[in-house]
Amino acid sequence: MLTLAALFLASQAASPAACAAQDRYAIIVHGGTARAGQVPEERLVFMRDALAGARDELEAGARALDVTETMIAAMEASGLFNAGRGSITNAEGYVENDASVMDGATMNAGAVASMTGLKSPIRAARIVMDETRHVMMVGERGQAAVIERGAEEAPSDWFLRAEHREPEEHGTVGAAVLDRCGDLAAGTSTGGYDAKIPGRVGDSPIIGAGTYAENGVVAASATGHGEYFVRFGATRDLAARMKYEDQSAEQAGQAVIDAMAEAGGERDGRGGIVAVDAQGNFAAPFSSEGMVRGYASDRQEPVAGAFDTVE
Ligand code: ASP
């Protein structure tokens, strides 16, 4: 399982024109919100290993957009998270995936929602971005359209948690990346929220809610109670605070997270955001008990953690 991440990353050659404009690069990822006693160590081990592969790719000049997609695809395929292969099921016992990706260099984006049979929703989101005039494809017809354009169908035994109902199990995945071109990109992929009603779409495939990237400002991916992240336009609000109010990623992220937690009261509106700014500074505020997260950069060896500390 562990070498899977390394293999996955190694198989993705950097884009033809490798980035070398700057030495600085940075990647931050999340594996969803965490509750005490509920974070398998293997998620953190996987994350550190995958970050090491991503770091090598970025050092060699890989594009932020490619690394975002590859990193998330590896987490989806690992079966360890609530995304891709390890997705939790909806209230009727089947998987519905949401995912999105955004390129901060071009402000292009792609997303899929309510996908029931894709091997890699994040790759499908990239296909929407690259191969169509649209930003988001949904449901059965959206799924047929992305398969027609190259998205891989999930084999019948693909989903590991099919038929298992886990009332509260999180583990959405996301990545935010700065590359050596100075470009930013972000993406998010999920099986959704606890026992969701079939057809429900959360924040993860919504640009400006679960995912946002804008060169010169920030790349960000969210996890948590999606309805709040949609209502508050969470990642776009974070970017706006940085862009118009000159707030740091840390300040802006905390403000967005606090506003949703306050609105949600005791139980609702909880979650977190991982972000990286144009200078490679990280932020990872959360209002949930924990958030599985990790990061690495040209100056930072891969570290990961779920609660107060990362190591
Ligand atoms: N934000 C995701 C959703 O609402 C779930 C999560 O991050 O745990 O679909």
Side-chain angles (χ1 to χ4, degrees), residues 30 32-33 82 98 169-173 188 190-194 196 200-205 222-227 229:
H30 69 77
T33 56
N82 171 23
D98 298 339
E169 168 59 38
H170 300 150
T172 292
V173 303
T188 310
T190 189
Y193 211 67
D194 315 331
K196 64 183 178 185
R200 175 263 192 190
V201 173
D203 60 313
S204 308
T223 178
H225 196 170
E227 280 68 12
F229 287 77

Side-chain angles (χ1 to χ4, degrees), residues 65-249:
L65 183 63
D66 295 333
V67 173
T68 297
E69 180 191 343
T70 305
M71 187 75 195
I72 293 175
M75 288 195 277
E76 288 176 338
S78 73
L80 294 172
F81 301 91
N82 171 23
R85 193 160 198 201
S87 296
I88 58 170
T89 60
N90 63 20
E92 286 184 10
Y94 60 92
V95 168
E96 279 178 294
N97 287 121
D98 298 339
S100 64
V101 67
M102 184 163 186
D103 179 9
T106 59
M107 301 296 278
N108 280 338
V112 291
S114 292
M115 298 284 126
T116 55
L118 295 181
K119 212 166 168 183
S120 172
I122 196 69
R123 289 208 191 287
R126 177 78 187 263
I127 285 170
V128 174
M129 177 178 138
D130 289 348
E131 309 294 335
T132 77
R133 299 178 283 120
H134 309 306
V135 170
M136 184 186 280
M137 305 297 294
V138 305
E140 232 173 84
R141 283 170 296 165
Q143 181 163 301
V146 292
I147 288 172
E148 209 171 286
R149 288 165 176 78
E152 249 187 284
E153 270 181 89
S156 58
D157 60 351
W158 182 247
F159 296 112
L160 299 171
R161 287 160 159 177
E163 308 306 332
H164 294 247
R165 309 257 172 101
E166 280 136 319
E168 276 204 41
E169 168 59 38
H170 300 150
T172 292
V173 303
V177 182
L178 169 73
D179 67 24
R180 293 187 58 199
C181 289
D183 291 337
L184 291 163
T188 310
S189 180
T190 189
Y193 211 67
D194 315 331
K196 64 183 178 185
I197 299 170
R200 175 263 192 190
V201 173
D203 60 313
S204 308
I206 311 283
I207 298 303
T211 300
Y212 189 74
E214 181 176 342
N215 265 20
V217 186
V218 74
S221 169
T223 178
H225 196 170
E227 280 68 12
Y228 280 77
F229 287 77
V230 172
R231 292 184 194 129
F232 280 72
T235 53
R236 182 67 183 91
D237 186 27
L238 177 151
R241 286 168 183 273
M242 293 176 68
K243 195 170 167 179
Y244 306 123
E245 299 281 336
D246 224 16
Q247 295 183 7
S248 67

